[in-house]
Amino acid sequence: MPIQPRLADPNAAAHERVYRTLRQQVLHGELAPGQAMTLRGLAEQFGVSMTPARDAVRRLVAEGAFTMSSSGRISTPELTPERIEELAAIRAMLEPEMASRALPRAHFALIDRLAAINALNQEAVMNQDAVGYVRTNLEFHRTLYLRAQTPAMLAMCETVWLQLGPTMRALYQKLRRRDMPQHHRMILAALRAGDEPGLRLAVRTDVTQGLRHLAS
C-alpha cells in the first residue's frame, strides 16, 4: 500500500507567517511602545483564524516582544527607565564580546558590506526615517555578529533587541537628529585596523549611549 504524503498544516503555515511579520514589525520599531492590539484584530489583519494568531502572540510574549495582561490585553513593551538601563547593560556585555570574536573573521568583503549598510543607515538619518534607521542599525550589528559564530549569544541579543525595538524608534523620534552617527565609523575603522580594544569600546559606546540618554 503506497504511503500517503503528509498534508501541510495550514494553521502552522499561517502561524509562522503571522509570527515572522509581527516579530519584524516589533524589532524594527514599526509599532509604537505600549501599542495595544487584540487577537481578533490580528486575525482579521492577517486573514487567519484565531488559532494561528493566538499561537503567534504566545510565542512573541515568551520572547518579550509583546506583553499580555491577566485580562488578555496585548501590547508592545513600554519600558521604564530602569528597564532600559538594564537592557543597555546587557547589550554592553554581549555585543562587544561578539564583535571581538568576529574580528579575526572580518575580511574585506564583510567590512565593505558593513560600510554599505552604514550608508543606508546615514540615508535614513538624513530622511528622518525612524523605522529605516532602526532596521539598518540592527542589520549593521547583526551582519558583524554573525561572523562571531556564537549563535547562543546572538539569540540572547535578538531577544533584547525585540524588547527595545519600539523604544528605539521612540528615542530616534525624540532626538530628531540629522547629524551622522560616528560610532559605526569607529567600528569600521577598528575592524580595518584589527584594533580589538578599540572595537570593543566603539561597540559598547554605540549600543549604550542613545539608550542611556533616553533612560535619563
Side-chain angles (χ1 to χ4, degrees):
M1 182 176 179
I3 299 175
Q4 295 295 324
R6 296 181 63 183
L7 298 177
D9 181 355
N11 277 341
H15 155 257
E16 193 65 22
R17 176 169 61 87
V18 174
Y19 164 76
R20 290 191 179 279
T21 302
L22 287 173
R23 188 179 191 275
Q24 180 171 291
Q25 289 176 347
V26 175
L27 190 64
H28 294 165
E30 294 177 40
L31 304 177
Q35 183 168 329
M37 59 203 79
T38 64
L39 286 176
R40 187 175 300 280
L42 290 172
E44 291 176 357
Q45 176 186 338
F46 287 96
V48 300
S49 67
M50 293 286 284
T51 298
R54 183 183 298 109
D55 290 346
V57 165
R58 285 175 176 168
R59 191 171 169 188
L60 289 162
V61 168
E63 291 182 350
F66 287 160
T67 60
M68 183 181 289
S69 69
S70 56
S71 63
R73 180 182 182 274
I74 306 158
S75 62
T76 53
E78 198 164 19
L79 305 179
T80 64
E82 292 78 17
R83 183 64 172 165
I84 294 169
E85 180 67 32
E86 179 187 5
L87 294 173
I90 294 172
R91 290 193 70 178
M93 288 187 288
L94 283 177
E95 297 190 40
E97 179 64 23
M98 284 191 289
S100 174
R101 296 187 184 210
L103 181 59
R105 304 182 181 92
H107 46 68
F108 290 119
L110 173 67
I111 296 172
D112 288 344
R113 172 64 179 149
L114 291 170
I117 296 170
N118 192 47
L120 295 175
N121 185 248
Q122 293 177 346
E123 184 178 321
V125 171
M126 291 300 297
N127 294 332
Q128 294 192 324
D129 176 3
V131 173
Y133 173 79
V134 174
R135 177 178 54 77
T136 53
N137 182 58
L138 292 181
E139 184 182 359
F140 180 91
H141 286 274
R142 193 173 192 279
T143 299
L144 173 59
Y145 303 155
L146 281 170
R147 297 302 300 166
Q149 299 180 7
T150 52
M153 284 187 186
L154 185 56
M156 293 171 65
C157 195
E158 287 188 341
T159 298
V160 174
W161 291 346
L162 266 175
Q163 295 175 63
L164 284 169
T167 297
M168 289 294 292
R169 172 188 172 178
L171 167 63
Y172 181 83
Q173 290 178 325
K174 178 181 178 182
L175 295 178
R176 288 292 182 187
R177 296 172 65 177
R178 282 188 180 272
D179 54 314
M180 294 296 104
Q182 299 300 315
H183 302 123
H184 286 187
R185 295 180 185 177
M186 294 167 59
I187 291 170
L188 290 168
L191 288 169
R192 292 189 181 103
D195 178 5
E196 195 264 349
L199 178 61
R200 280 182 175 270
L201 177 61
V203 170
R204 184 179 298 109
T205 304
D206 182 44
V207 303
T208 59
Q209 188 176 72
L211 287 172
R212 286 179 171 151
H213 176 85
L214 181 62
S216 64

